Amino acid sequence: MKIVVMCGIGLGTSAILKVNAERALERLDIEASVQATNVAGVRAAAADAQVILTSSELVDAIGKTNADVIVINNYFDVDELFAKLEIALGS
Amino acid sequence: MPLPHLPLDAITIGAHVDHWPAAITAAGDALVRSGAATSAYTDRMIAVVREFGAYIVIAPGLALAHARPGADVLADGLCVVTLAEPVAFGHPHNDPVSVIVGLAVAGAAAHLHFVAELANVFNDPAVIPALAGATTAEFVQSVFGQTAS
C-alpha cells in the first residue's frame, strides 16, 4: 500500500507528516510506504496511491485523483492520524 | 541526527506583530541573527505562504515557517519566535498562531533526520502552550532539549 503526504514545497511540513503517519500506521499494524511530495509532484506520486494526506489549504491543488484525500488538522497529533487512517484503511 | 543548535539569538520572546508576514519576518530575522540564513530567505518563506496558503500552520497555534534550500541558506538552522498577541494566518482550524518555528535547511535529504526530532518534541501536546507562555529564551532552549553551552 502506498500513502502520499503532500505539502506546498515537499519538505519540512510533509516530512513531519510522514514521520507521524508512519507512527500511526505502525500502531494500526498496517504496512505501507509513505512518500512525501509537493503540489507540483502530487499527480505523479499519487497515481498508484491509496491515500493522500494533506492540509485543508492544499486539497484544491490536488485536482482529480482516485486516492482518498484525508485532511489532517494537527500534524503532530498521532491520535488524529490513527483515527483518520483507521477509517480510510480499516476493514 | 539531533536538531540544529538553537542559540539564544535565534529565539525571540513576545514579538509584537500586526499580521502574518511580520510574524514570518520575525522568524527570518532570528535566522539571520544566528547566521543560518540571509534576509532573502525571509522573503522566500513569505512567498511560500502567498503561493500555497496557510498550510504551514500545522498544529493549533503553531506555524512552521520554511522554504526550499537555496544560496540564501548559510547553515541548517532552527529559530523560535513567540508572539505577544497571536495573529491569524488564515488557517481554518489552527488559527490564531502564537508560536513560529523557523527552519532553514541546507539540503533536502539531511533535513529528514532532524525533522523527525522536531516531531518528537511536538508530539507532546503540552509543548505549544508551554512555548506560547515562555518568558525566557533559556526556557525555550530547554523545551528543545538544548542548553546554552
Side-chain angles (χ1 to χ4, degrees):
Chain A
M1 183 184 305
K2 180 176 172 184
I3 291 172
V4 167
V5 295
M6 182 187 97
C7 77
I9 60 175
L11 62 85
T13 47
S14 58
I16 285 172
L17 191 52
K18 174 178 156 71
V19 166
N20 284 328
E22 285 169 347
R23 288 170 181 169
L25 288 163
E26 197 177 310
R27 245 205 263 167
L28 284 162
D29 202 20
I30 292 175
E31 269 193 43
S33 72
V34 183
Q35 182 185 343
T37 190
N38 58 20
V39 167
V42 69
R43 188 170 291 259
D48 56 348
Q50 185 157 351
V51 170
I52 301 171
L53 301 176
T54 193
S55 163
S56 55
E57 296 297 280
L58 297 174
V59 169
D60 290 345
I62 296 171
K64 278 190 180 164
T65 177
N66 291 322
D68 286 339
V69 177
I70 300 179
V71 169
I72 301 300
N73 294 326
N74 184 343
Y75 282 27
F76 294 115
D77 186 351
V78 179
D79 291 339
E80 178 185 347
L81 280 156
F82 179 92
K84 290 180 174 175
L85 284 168
E86 187 176 40
I87 290 168
L89 304 174
S91 52
Chain B
M1 183 184 287
L3 287 169
H5 183 48
L6 180 63
L8 289 176
D9 60 6
I11 299 169
T12 302
I13 302 291
H16 293 272
V17 300
D18 292 331
H19 44 65
W20 69 261
I24 293 181
T25 299
D29 290 348
L31 290 170
V32 170
R33 277 200 308 273
S34 67
T38 70
S39 60
Y41 186 70
T42 305
D43 298 336
R44 292 204 297 122
M45 291 195 292
I46 292 171
V48 166
V49 179
R50 292 210 191 282
E51 181 171 4
F52 297 112
Y55 82 93
I56 68 162
V57 186
I58 57 173
L62 179 87
L64 182 71
H66 65 298
R68 293 183 177 88
D72 47 14
V73 176
L74 306 175
D76 288 339
L78 187 67
C79 76
V80 175
V81 174
T82 71
L83 302 179
E85 305 89 21
V87 294
F89 272 61
H91 192 285
H93 297 281
N94 296 334
D95 269 346
V97 170
S98 49
V99 179
I100 297 102
V101 172
L103 196 61
V105 296
H111 96 289
L112 291 172
H113 303 284
F114 64 73
V115 165
E117 287 301 312
L118 207 54
N120 286 339
V121 171
F122 283 99
N123 281 350
D124 178 351
V127 162
I128 295 171
L131 289 174
T135 55
T136 69
E138 288 80 2
F139 173 79
V140 173
Q141 277 186 323
S142 72
V143 169
F144 286 85
Q146 302 197 13
T147 57
S149 61

